[in-house]
Amino acid sequence: MNKELPKIYEPQKVEDEIYARWEQSRCFQPEAGQPLADNLDKRETYCNVLPPPNANGELHIGHASGYTVMDIFGRYARMNGKKTLLLPGKDHAGIQTQVVFEKKLLAEQGLSRQEIGRENFYKKTYEFCIDRANYMRSQEKKIGISADWSREKFTLDPDVLKIAMETFVKMHEDGLIYKGKRIINWCPRCSTALSDVEVLHKETPGKLYFIKYPLENSTEFITVATTRPETMLGDTAVAVNPKDKRYLKLIGKNIVLPLQNTIIPIIADKRIDLSFGTGAVKITPAHDPLDWQIGKDHNLEEIQIIDEKAAITELGGKYAGLTAHVAREEVLKDLEKLNLLEKVEELAHSISICERCKTIIEPLTSSQWFINVDAKNFSLKKKAIEAIKKNEIEIFPNNFQKILIDWFENMRDWCISRQIWWGPQFPVWYRTNSQLTTDNSQQEPEMYVGLTPPEGEGWVQDENTFDTWFTSGQWAYTTLKSKEGDFGMFYPSDTMVMGRDLLFFWSSRMIMMSLYTTGKIPFKNLFYTGLVLDKEGHKFSKSRGNGIDPLTVIDKFGADALRMSLVMDSAPGQNSRLYEEKIETFRNFANKLWNISRFCLSQENFKLVKTISKEDIKTPADAWIINCLDKTTIEIDKLFANKQISVAADILKSFTWNDFADWYLEINKIEKNQKVLGYVLDKLLRLWHPFMPFITEHIWTLAKQEKMLIISAWPKSNPELCSNIEAREFEAIQNIITTIRNVRTENKIELGKKITITINSKNEKLLKTFQSEFQEDILKRLKTGIETIGYNKSEEELKDEIKRTLGEINLYIHLADAIDTEKETARIKKEIANLEGFIAGLAGRLADKNFTSKAPTQIINQQKETLAKKQAELSELQKHLDSLS
RNA sequence: GGGUGAUUAGCUCAGUUGGCUAGAGCACUUCUCUUACAAAGAAGGGGUCACUGGUUCGAGUCCAGUAUCACCCACCA
């Protein structure tokens, strides 16, 4: 039977078919009627709203990493009989998608978005996203994620969007949203405002220009230092620190601003650093965030001299129309002509760039929409901090809690309006009432905020679109609210898994928005994954060309191998590295599991066994493996509770390979116990399923199981089965076998050469175990080359043999040739020295009153036991040494 | 300027209430195609757990400091 199974597991041939079967069975869908795990219906639920990837590209290895973690938790929950929902989705990803699609449009059709118009651009981008979403969904399935595709959501789906817009309206009513003219980060390429988190800072070598500003009615100067000389066209003051003695007498005096020839004051402000530059700072309120603040506090005029295309405005006089970059050169040239450029120094400083297109940010004053994150009636950030501090959301790894709280504490108002086209438009309309207008420029238009356009003529919708994080920040509930019943059943969800790079962008916004809208936390557990890096520890990037395509990997090694290589040997929040050799080792492991199963399935009358009784445990090896299995099961559950899935997989791997395959399978070739074999394999497949769903389901099917593994019950520890089990007998056998193999290798005895051994022990019960026919068979056949076994012979008789002490056993190995006394003596002496050192330490500790009075008795007893054991060993070694000399 | 993480075998990394002489994979050495598996098996070698102090009966694990690296934040004109 099953002789036809290939020697090598071929994932490519089975994975798609298995996934299709899962989908058809509707086991991803938590409806009534969904097949449940072995009829366990605890009415408990488990939900993970999956982070929606940006629907503008393809899946990368980072997605695969997150999905694997989510799927492992999801499958674990499902097998534990919970009603499980993994809810997938896609994000329209405002700016990023617009940048991607604009590039595509230009490359393929040579068109800009302006050329095709806003409406058409939106429609085309929408189609593009849907297309990408379809492709990405197929990739997600390849990874094996057990998500309910019937519930898949897109951030622009009308139902999702409606809920998000309702939030806007409500926040506006509650006074949490305001429109105001403030200084914001402006990306000239994207033509939009950006929030603080969408701006990156890059350390760049630059220059610090020292410019002399002439004092009014004087021949004196005050020298200011700046990295952006062109902004002087918009200067409205020079500021110094009030404690700066150098400039005390100048405070309150005026300056004639060069090039512009306007009169501006010298003011004092404590935010000015005395030690930087000259200690005197030119103030350009319209183009620098700090200057803007200072300008506000000192009632300075804001003169916008750079426009939204990064060009100089008409207020810039003769420089109008030049780009800021060119203007800088011109300004410097002119200053030099006037002899006002004192000096230029090299300076490393950080410049702001757009996160998406890397263009240098222009700080501008602009009219934008903001969320007040610290409003009096509902402080979003304080509520978030409170929830986190009260551990309502458990964060893995735990130290990220502090990072998140710190971030919230320093959070400033959130700019949510963007001037891009790709994204939902603000549900805000304006109308200018011409009848009342007496002075056009001063008239504030009438404003309407609501879900649908207002009645009447002349309303024009606000052109702003939403920051993409405004909609994805509501993902935790918009997704669940769009299907009747889901919200009540699954909100707040259990788990949220995301890359640590999304900590500020996304987790923070979800927590705030959810607390505001639902009054509850969005999820109970927040799990951050680290970044996946390449072999050298670099980030994957297109420019570096070091990307690993998940599909290529899956095609080559199988989805299970990829999954394993993404979760093993990694800790929550910690970066990890991925490379082919690593994936290969897990491909090898999958193959090991395959061959283990192949062996089992090829046994006569083999079948998977769900339960066994004590009577089925017949031999020391049976008892031992059942005991190992039980311990492993308990440990894995504990680790799952702590979200330590990497460690869980690790101990399971060690059980599978080192215990079950290397020992139990070998024993089973000699003394067969198909029931125990079937029982262990049954549990093994279940335990591995969350990690390696495809191969386990495949084997499960080959073993002719009616019900699919994905909905089979998670193994439980069986203390009843393990009570009074004596695993030590088998451990003694293992010990003897290993020791003999070791001695053979050490003494270079060929495998073909048979040897005679003697086992001496005072423990009659133990001896009796060995003396059974089967156990002798095991000892002989497990690569030991034993021919005959003797028991309890006299020391005298054995004095020329190699002796090893293994706990209660003295093992003697008779070699045909005389033993190398010198070598053996040296070996024993070394071991004695080692042992004596250890015993001395242990004995010392046990003699120490401090230790015996303070340490728990359990530890003391343990150490006493060890001491006795080691002392016995030592005396055996010494006896042996004496007999050799 | 502030923060976080890392530092454990040649390499990549685990090690969560502190407790026997610190683990894995890869690489390395020697041997084996033994019928589940050479993508394998057997036996090995290899570590003052970055450094310095402290707490403790006991520290890779907790605390303080130092060094190096990485990342993040920041209104460094």
Side-chain angles (χ1 to χ4, degrees):
Chain A
M1 159 185 174
N2 284 316
K3 286 274 188 279
E4 71 279 6
L5 292 180
K7 276 187 169 187
I8 304 282
Y9 171 59
E10 296 164 296
Q12 303 78 7
K13 290 191 176 165
V14 297
E15 288 181 355
D16 288 346
E17 179 268 331
I18 290 169
Y19 197 89
R21 264 200 292 146
W22 286 332
E23 266 199 289
Q24 277 154 25
S25 78
R26 293 175 60 227
C27 59
F28 298 165
Q29 293 172 243
E31 320 296 350
Q34 175 199 37
L36 284 165
D38 284 354
N39 302 322
L40 287 171
D41 180 1
K42 297 179 180 169
R43 294 285 150 206
E44 275 186 59
T45 62
Y46 174 87
C47 177
N48 181 353
V49 178
L50 309 180
N54 298 342
N56 59 30
E58 54 207 359
L59 242 50
H60 56 66
I61 211 76
H63 294 124
S65 161
Y67 278 144
T68 301
V69 173
M70 299 169 217
D71 194 50
I72 288 171
F73 288 137
R75 286 178 189 267
Y76 177 76
R78 192 181 291 111
M79 290 178 80
N80 275 290
K82 292 187 186 175
K83 197 172 261 204
T84 298
L85 172 63
L86 307 192
L87 205 163
K90 301 288 175 290
D91 196 327
H92 70 282
I95 297 174
Q96 192 192 46
T97 300
Q98 178 155 326
V99 171
V100 168
F101 191 67
E102 277 183 288
K103 275 188 194 159
K104 185 179 153 77
L105 198 62
L106 190 68
E108 290 174 6
Q109 300 176 48
L111 293 171
S112 70
R113 72 167 193 273
Q114 288 81 6
E115 283 172 288
I116 68 170
R118 181 165 184 164
E119 203 174 320
N120 201 17
F121 179 81
Y122 187 92
K123 192 171 151 257
K124 288 270 188 336
T125 310
Y126 197 97
E127 286 162 7
F128 169 70
C129 279
I130 297 301
D131 179 61
R132 293 324 292 165
N134 289 336
Y135 176 65
M136 290 168 79
R137 188 177 313 114
S138 72
Q139 293 180 302
E140 288 163 332
K141 292 183 180 182
K142 284 273 185 185
I143 293 163
I145 183 137
S146 54
D148 180 1
W149 301 107
S150 73
R151 279 178 168 82
E152 185 177 356
K153 285 291 160 198
F154 181 44
T155 44
L156 296 183
D157 283 343
D159 49 352
V160 173
L161 207 50
K162 181 169 172 271
I163 299 161
M165 292 303 109
E166 281 168 4
T167 307
F168 174 84
V169 174
K170 182 166 181 280
M171 285 180 114
H172 185 259
E173 279 167 11
D174 288 352
L176 265 66
I177 283 183
Y178 64 93
K179 194 179 184 184
K181 191 164 182 169
R182 305 181 128 219
I183 192 149
I184 44 91
N185 309 294
W186 182 266
C187 173
R189 200 225 63 90
C190 300
S191 293
T192 184
L194 298 173
S195 67
D196 293 338
V197 281
E198 288 164 307
V199 174
L200 300 177
H201 301 274
K202 201 175 154 194
E203 192 73 17
T204 316
K207 290 190 168 67
L208 187 63
Y209 303 90
F210 289 75
I211 304 168
K212 294 194 280 190
Y213 280 11
L215 294 172
E216 192 187 19
N217 304 324
S218 164
T219 52
E220 284 180 68
F221 299 95
I222 183 166
T223 303
V224 298
T226 180
T227 53
R228 300 195 59 195
E230 71 278 12
T231 61
M232 68 178 287
L233 300 169
D235 282 1
T236 50
V238 166
V240 297
N241 192 294
K243 286 184 187 153
D244 197 333
K245 288 181 184 138
R246 293 171 293 180
Y247 301 118
L248 272 181
K249 59 179 193 299
L250 296 181
I251 294 168
K253 296 204 167 160
N254 286 333
I255 280 166
V256 183
L257 181 64
L259 308 178
Q260 293 285 60
N261 291 318
T262 50
I263 305 297
I264 60 173
I266 297 176
I267 59 171
D269 193 288
K270 61 178 190 302
R271 282 165 286 195
I272 304 301
D273 181 355
L274 286 86
S275 59
F276 191 91
T278 61
V281 184
K282 57 189 273 319
I283 301 297
T284 323
H287 299 288
D288 180 275
L290 178 62
D291 291 5
W292 187 79
Q293 276 298 340
I294 292 176
K296 281 273 168 230
D297 297 345
H298 294 265
N299 277 320
L300 298 175
E301 195 187 345
E302 289 166 25
I303 303 175
Q304 185 174 347
I305 51 101
I306 296 173
D307 70 12
E308 297 172 347
K309 293 199 168 70
I312 304 298
T313 64
E314 359 184 284
L315 297 174
K318 67 180 255 212
Y319 307 95
L322 299 177
T323 65
H325 185 72
V326 176
R328 176 180 302 180
E329 299 308 314
E330 294 297 316
V331 163
L332 288 169
K333 243 188 263 174
D334 291 341
L335 286 172
E336 219 157 348
K337 272 185 214 156
L338 294 167
N339 219 1
L340 293 175
L341 188 59
E342 191 175 289
K343 60 174 175 175
V344 182
E345 283 181 359
E346 298 293 323
L347 174 78
H349 70 301
S350 74
I351 54 166
S352 303
I353 56 174
C354 170
E355 181 214 5
R356 294 307 182 189
C357 71
K358 317 296 177 206
T359 305
I360 295 174
I361 293 300
E362 284 296 341
L364 294 179
T365 49
S366 170
S367 182
Q368 301 286 345
W369 290 92
F370 293 88
I371 290 184
N372 181 351
V373 296
D374 196 18
K376 282 203 179 89
N377 53 334
F378 194 101
S379 169
L380 290 164
K381 67 187 213 183
K382 287 197 180 111
K383 295 269 185 192
I385 292 166
E386 193 187 311
I388 297 168
K389 280 191 174 163
K390 277 158 71 185
N391 287 321
E392 286 176 39
I393 301 172
E394 203 170 339
I395 295 173
F396 301 86
N398 193 249
N399 54 303
F400 279 43
Q401 180 177 342
K402 195 174 161 302
I403 301 174
L404 201 51
I405 291 171
D406 284 352
W407 188 83
F408 271 123
E409 276 168 353
N410 295 313
M411 188 186 192
R412 299 189 299 172
D413 282 1
W414 170 18
C415 175
I416 53 166
S417 50
R418 299 289 178 273
Q419 289 67 51
I420 56 168
W421 290 353
W422 177 236
Q425 225 167 311
F426 274 57
V428 175
W429 286 262
Y430 305 99
R431 178 164 68 177
T432 334
N433 195 331
S434 49
Q435 289 167 349
L436 295 175
T437 303
T438 49
D439 177 358
N440 265 337
S441 59
Q442 294 301 312
Q443 178 66 34
E444 280 291 319
E446 189 183 351
M447 182 171 85
Y448 173 83
V449 178
L451 285 182
T452 48
E455 302 280 324
E457 294 293 309
W459 290 99
V460 179
Q461 189 171 4
D462 189 318
E463 294 217 329
N464 284 305
T465 49
F466 278 99
D467 173 13
T468 208
W469 300 104
F470 182 78
T471 45
S472 50
Q474 302 185 60
W475 196 239
Y477 54 84
T478 50
T479 47
L480 288 169
K481 275 188 169 174
S482 64
K483 188 175 171 98
E484 183 77 40
D486 276 4
F487 185 77
M489 187 175 292
F490 294 113
Y491 189 91
S493 62
D494 288 79
T495 307
M496 172 53 67
V497 179
M498 71 176 77
R500 57 183 294 175
D501 50 329
L502 291 178
L503 190 111
F504 304 133
F505 280 105
W506 199 38
S507 49
S508 59
R509 268 76 181 270
M510 271 199 290
I511 295 169
M512 286 192 306
M513 299 295 275
S514 302
L515 284 169
Y516 170 73
T517 308
T518 71
K520 288 183 194 166
I521 49 161
F523 31 70
K524 294 167 206 153
N525 299 288
L526 178 53
F527 185 102
Y528 291 105
T529 58
L531 265 44
V532 184
L533 308 172
D534 73 5
K535 196 177 183 182
E536 276 72 44
H538 297 125
K539 280 185 188 173
F540 289 117
S541 71
K542 275 186 187 148
S543 56
R544 208 186 283 272
N546 59 350
I548 295 181
D549 172 23
L551 290 202
T552 311
V553 171
I554 289 172
D555 194 50
K556 195 165 172 188
F557 299 108
D560 294 324
L562 175 63
R563 290 167 65 110
M564 287 286 282
S565 60
L566 286 169
V567 296
M568 287 283 283
D569 294 334
S570 66
Q574 220 58 43
N575 294 349
S576 65
R577 301 185 187 192
L578 185 73
Y579 41 91
E580 280 222 352
E581 296 93 303
K582 190 168 171 181
I583 306 166
E584 229 175 80
T585 66
F586 294 108
R587 185 267 320 258
N588 294 355
F589 176 69
N591 199 48
K592 187 74 187 182
L593 187 61
W594 172 250
N595 275 295
I596 288 169
S597 309
R598 203 160 71 95
F599 170 80
C600 294
L601 292 172
S602 66
Q603 301 301 302
E604 238 173 290
N605 299 324
F606 177 84
K607 56 176 191 266
L608 293 180
V609 177
K610 202 167 159 187
T611 52
I612 56 170
S613 62
K614 268 185 137 160
E615 290 68 44
D616 297 316
I617 299 171
K618 298 193 192 313
T619 69
D622 292 343
W624 170 79
I625 196 73
I626 292 294
N627 206 26
C628 287
L629 173 67
D630 203 67
K631 272 195 256 174
T632 306
T633 308
I634 293 170
E635 196 57 31
I636 287 174
D637 272 328
K638 225 187 269 172
L639 291 164
F640 258 100
N642 293 331
K643 307 251 185 291
Q644 287 183 279
I645 49 176
S646 166
V647 186
D650 194 50
I651 64 162
L652 187 52
K653 178 162 164 254
S654 140
F655 170 74
T656 308
W657 204 320
N658 305 342
D659 297 338
F660 189 51
D662 290 348
W663 286 102
Y664 192 74
L665 253 47
E666 294 304 321
I667 303 289
N668 206 268
K669 290 173 186 173
I670 299 157
E671 51 173 4
K672 298 200 178 296
N673 187 337
Q674 298 327 29
K675 211 157 181 187
V676 170
L677 191 69
Y679 179 76
V680 179
L681 185 67
D682 179 281
K683 300 299 165 277
L684 208 54
L685 293 172
R686 292 170 197 258
L687 291 167
W688 273 120
H689 185 258
F691 301 95
M692 302 201 291
F694 290 106
I695 188 172
T696 48
E697 188 75 77
H698 180 51
I699 296 166
W700 192 256
T701 309
L702 291 172
K704 301 191 163 55
Q705 295 295 297
E706 273 178 32
K707 193 165 179 165
M708 287 195 297
L709 180 56
I710 186 173
I711 43 161
S712 299
W714 184 254
K716 287 271 163 283
S717 152
N718 194 340
E720 174 57 25
L721 203 58
C722 290
S723 61
N724 304 323
I725 273 189
E726 187 55 83
R728 248 186 273 176
E729 289 175 8
F730 184 69
E731 275 157 14
I733 290 170
Q734 280 180 308
N735 222 338
I736 291 169
I737 290 170
T738 308
T739 305
I740 291 167
R741 287 168 178 172
N742 178 341
V743 167
R744 290 191 74 112
T745 308
E746 259 180 23
N747 293 280
K748 298 198 168 36
I749 305 159
E750 296 156 34
L751 260 185
K753 201 163 181 182
K754 296 291 173 192
I755 56 168
T756 299
I757 65 160
T758 304
I759 300 170
N760 282 7
S761 177
K762 285 171 188 150
N763 186 333
E764 290 292 334
K765 190 174 160 246
L766 200 58
L767 267 190
K768 227 172 175 175
T769 316
F770 298 138
Q771 281 166 313
S772 83
E773 191 188 329
F774 277 135
Q775 299 316 312
E776 285 207 345
D777 235 22
I778 286 167
L779 286 174
K780 285 176 184 170
R781 286 174 56 188
L782 257 59
K783 292 174 195 163
T784 53
I786 298 170
E787 193 162 43
T788 44
I789 305 172
Y791 297 94
N792 277 353
K793 295 187 190 164
S794 74
E795 298 264 338
E796 182 57 27
E797 202 179 334
L798 300 163
K799 74 177 203 285
D800 290 332
E801 303 195 353
I802 284 186
K803 176 186 173 187
R804 294 284 187 274
T805 302
L806 313 168
E808 295 176 280
I809 296 162
N810 280 324
L811 175 68
Y812 298 86
I813 301 164
H814 180 75
L815 302 177
D817 307 320
I819 60 166
D820 186 337
T821 318
E822 211 173 302
K823 201 173 144 196
E824 193 63 6
T825 307
R827 198 195 69 84
I828 292 171
K829 277 184 176 163
K830 194 178 157 196
E831 207 168 312
I832 286 176
N834 182 17
L835 209 49
E836 278 173 344
F838 178 63
I839 287 172
L842 202 54
R845 202 179 312 156
L846 281 163
D848 188 348
K849 249 193 219 158
N850 271 326
F851 174 68
T852 47
S853 64
K854 287 177 183 167
T857 44
Q858 184 202 349
I859 298 291
I860 296 169
N861 288 339
Q862 222 174 59
Q863 304 213 345
K864 274 184 184 162
E865 222 172 282
T866 309
L867 182 63
K869 218 188 276 175
K870 293 295 167 184
Q871 274 166 338
E873 254 175 56
L874 182 64
S875 88
E876 284 300 326
L877 277 170
Q878 258 149 358
K879 252 200 279 175
H880 190 39
L881 189 64
D882 293 343
S883 76
L884 280 172
S885 53

